């Protein structure tokens, strides 16, 4: 997703009927006045792009996107990721789209029901916070998620602004974390089942790990971003494990402070478009008993993060730029 650097203005200037309405103090805006299925014109695309960079996640309601329209809209902002492995719920004719219902199948592949699968992966309050595919050396630049079927209540998603979280640190702490790097690894923190665990064997056979800067410089806005999340990160390089745990607790609590977050109530036809380089998000855990929730996701290819010290991320295992 490329554009000129974002300005510090409160919202994008109206373009061809578009209005950008901020919904929280540091993150999130609702965009009205555009029909995504009709294909936004160049001025509208520019306004949406600027709003994503400024507000980190933007929301559209009442959209009529189908799979083809979803992919076409995404292509206006970058190259969609094509995943090598998807579940049976994802549309076979649209390899750019991943359907969230696929995740219900994951535990079954390794001998667990979905609830146990989630408990073993997200066993602390902060562990579920993540950016998409953060263990890769080139995580996606952005994600566009649309709702097809949602329960009448529950199932909200929450995002946090990592640029605001970094700016909110004190000067000495910012200077301290600017030069640190952390290992992001697929499956970090998973609690194995007793005895032989099929998922542990899968992780060993399909490991992905990268050494990312703990503070990333956003390639488009120039902002410094607190590049931390609870799902992929467990160890900061070059410090002891005890020191790493204390530092990560401090930074994760900073990154998820309520004032840096926004929570979105989904409806059929809702679309969320977020900057995956400057946010982490938390999927809902209150809706399993409320009925089906079917969402469709397209991600845009990203670049290799660069730290405040000018050094890029380093792939450790299982990840090459541009190869999915």
């Amino acid at each position: 997703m490329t554009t000129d650097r974002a300005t510090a203005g409160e919202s994008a200037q109206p373009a061809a009927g578009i209005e950008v309405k901020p919904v929280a103090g540091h993150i999130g805006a609702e965009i009205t006045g555009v029909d995504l299925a009709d294909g936004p014109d160049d001025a509208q695309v520019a306004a949406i792009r600027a709003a994503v960079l400024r507000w980190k996640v933007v929301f559209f309601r009442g959209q009529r996107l189908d799979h083809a329209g979803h992919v076409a809209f995404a292509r206006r902002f970058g190259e969609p990721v094509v995943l090598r492995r998807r579940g049976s719920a994802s549309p076979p004719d649209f390899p750019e789209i991943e359907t969230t219902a696929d995740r219900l199948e994951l535990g079954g592949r390794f001998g667990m029901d979905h609830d146990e699968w989630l408990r073993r992966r997200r066993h602390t309050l902060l562990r579920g916070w993540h950016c998409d595919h953060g263990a890769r050396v080139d995580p996606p630049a952005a994600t566009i998620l649309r709702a097809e079927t949602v329960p009448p209540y529950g199932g909200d998603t929450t995002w946090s602004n990592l640029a605001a979280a970094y700016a909110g640190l004190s000067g000495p702490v910012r200077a301290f974390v600017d030069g640190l790097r952390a290992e992001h690894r697929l499956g970090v923190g998973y609690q194995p089942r007793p005895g032989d665990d099929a998922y542990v064997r899968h992780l060993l056979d399909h490991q992905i790990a990268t050494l990312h800067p703990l503070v990333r410089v956003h390639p488009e806005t120039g902002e410094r971003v607190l590049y931390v999340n609870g799902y992929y990160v467990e160890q900061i390089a070059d410090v002891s494990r005890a020191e790493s745990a204390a530092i990560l607790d401090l930074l994760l609590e900073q990154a998820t402070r309520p004032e840096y977050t926004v929570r979105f109530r989904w409806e059929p036809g809702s679309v969320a478009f977020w900057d995956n380089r400057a946010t982490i998000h938390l999927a809902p855990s209150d809706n399993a008993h409320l009925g089906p929730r079917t969402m469709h996701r397209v991600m845009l290819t990203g670049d290799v993060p660069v730290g405040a010290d000018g050094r890029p991320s380093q792939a450790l295992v299982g990840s090459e730029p541009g190869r999915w």
Side-chain angles (χ1 to χ4, degrees), residues 64-74 86 89-99 146 148 294-298:
R64 303 173 294 108
L65 283 176
D66 57 13
H67 293 326
H70 191 169
V71 174
F73 174 68
R86 298 181 300 157
S90 290
D93 295 335
F94 296 92
E96 305 91 346
I97 294 178
E98 184 181 23
T99 296
R146 65 183 168 95
E148 179 181 317
T294 303
M295 320 284 281
H296 304 288
R297 177 176 75 170
V298 176

Side-chain angles (χ1 to χ4, degrees), residues 75-156:
R75 287 191 182 281
R76 300 299 302 278
F77 298 90
E79 183 63 28
V81 167
V82 175
L83 295 171
R84 284 179 290 178
R85 292 185 296 271
R86 298 181 300 157
S88 63
S90 290
D93 295 335
F94 296 92
E96 305 91 346
I97 294 178
E98 184 181 23
T99 296
T100 56
D102 287 344
R103 297 172 193 172
L104 299 176
E105 304 174 1
L106 290 175
R109 296 180 190 174
F110 307 108
M112 292 175 273
D113 62 28
H114 187 63
D115 286 345
E116 181 182 359
W117 167 254
L118 287 179
R119 286 197 306 272
R120 292 189 178 280
R121 291 164 64 225
R122 300 183 182 180
H123 49 82
T124 71
L125 293 176
L126 297 177
R127 183 127 240 137
W129 285 94
H130 67 286
C131 63
D132 288 333
H133 292 272
R136 288 186 53 86
V137 71
D138 58 343
T143 298
I144 303 172
L145 184 66
R146 65 183 168 95
E148 179 181 317
T149 304
V150 296
Y153 54 90
D156 299 356

Side-chain angles (χ1 to χ4, degrees), residues 45 178 207 235 293 297 305 310:
V45 166
D178 275 350
Q207 196 50 255
Q235 177 67 34
R293 182 179 184 270
R297 177 176 75 170

Side-chain angles (χ1 to χ4, degrees), residues 8 32 79 89 126 132 145 163 179 188 192 203 241 253 259 268 276 307:
T32 58
E79 183 63 28
L126 297 177
D132 288 333
L145 184 66
V188 156
L203 288 175
R241 292 196 69 84
E253 289 177 2
E259 57 263 45
N276 194 54

Side-chain angles (χ1 to χ4, degrees), residues 11-304:
S11 64
Q13 293 297 317
I18 281 185
E19 186 174 3
V20 179
K21 302 176 181 177
V23 295
H26 289 286
I27 180 173
E30 186 165 324
I31 295 180
T32 58
V34 60
D35 186 337
L36 303 184
D38 284 345
D41 61 30
D42 290 347
Q44 292 173 329
V45 166
I48 294 168
R49 182 182 287 116
V52 172
L53 291 174
R54 170 63 180 89
W55 294 105
K56 312 311 182 197
V57 57
V58 299
F59 309 111
F60 306 85
R61 294 194 180 274
Q63 299 297 320
R64 303 173 294 108
L65 283 176
D66 57 13
H67 293 326
H70 191 169
V71 174
F73 174 68
R75 287 191 182 281
R76 300 299 302 278
F77 298 90
E79 183 63 28
V81 167
V82 175
L83 295 171
R84 284 179 290 178
R85 292 185 296 271
R86 298 181 300 157
S88 63
S90 290
D93 295 335
F94 296 92
E96 305 91 346
I97 294 178
E98 184 181 23
T99 296
T100 56
D102 287 344
R103 297 172 193 172
L104 299 176
E105 304 174 1
L106 290 175
R109 296 180 190 174
F110 307 108
M112 292 175 273
D113 62 28
H114 187 63
D115 286 345
E116 181 182 359
W117 167 254
L118 287 179
R119 286 197 306 272
R120 292 189 178 280
R121 291 164 64 225
R122 300 183 182 180
H123 49 82
T124 71
L125 293 176
L126 297 177
R127 183 127 240 137
W129 285 94
H130 67 286
C131 63
D132 288 333
H133 292 272
R136 288 186 53 86
V137 71
D138 58 343
T143 298
I144 303 172
L145 184 66
R146 65 183 168 95
E148 179 181 317
T149 304
V150 296
Y153 54 90
D156 299 356
T157 303
T158 307
W159 289 263
S160 183
N161 181 342
L162 297 181
Y166 173 83
L169 292 169
S170 66
V173 174
R174 288 199 303 269
F176 171 62
V177 298
D178 275 350
L180 295 178
R181 301 169 78 75
E183 183 179 301
H184 296 230
R185 182 175 290 271
L186 184 65
V188 156
Y190 171 75
Q191 294 184 328
R193 307 180 94 197
D196 185 37
D197 189 312
Y199 184 57
V200 170
R201 285 188 275 112
H202 170 80
L203 288 175
L204 293 174
D205 291 340
H206 301 87
Q207 196 50 255
I208 299 175
T210 299
L211 197 63
H212 284 306
L214 200 54
V215 176
R216 175 182 186 175
V217 178
H218 195 288
E220 299 186 59
T221 68
E223 295 169 295
R224 293 191 178 189
V225 174
L226 185 60
Y227 205 55
V228 65
N229 67 76
Y231 188 68
Y232 293 110
V233 185
E234 188 170 47
Q235 177 67 34
I236 297 175
D238 301 322
V239 302
S240 72
R241 292 196 69 84
E243 291 167 335
S244 174
I247 297 167
L248 283 175
D249 283 346
L250 168 71
L251 297 180
L252 281 169
E253 289 177 2
Q254 172 72 5
T256 57
R257 282 170 55 172
E259 57 263 45
Y260 302 136
T261 68
V262 64
R263 181 166 175 157
F264 184 62
R265 173 64 54 84
W266 293 96
E267 301 169 347
S270 295
V271 175
F273 182 172
W274 67 90
D275 188 335
N276 194 54
R277 302 160 297 190
T279 62
I280 50 177
H281 59 280
L282 183 66
S285 58
D286 65 342
N287 60 298
H289 61 296
L290 298 176
R293 182 179 184 270
T294 303
M295 320 284 281
H296 304 288
R297 177 176 75 170
V298 176
M299 298 176 293
L300 302 180
T301 56
D303 52 7
V304 175

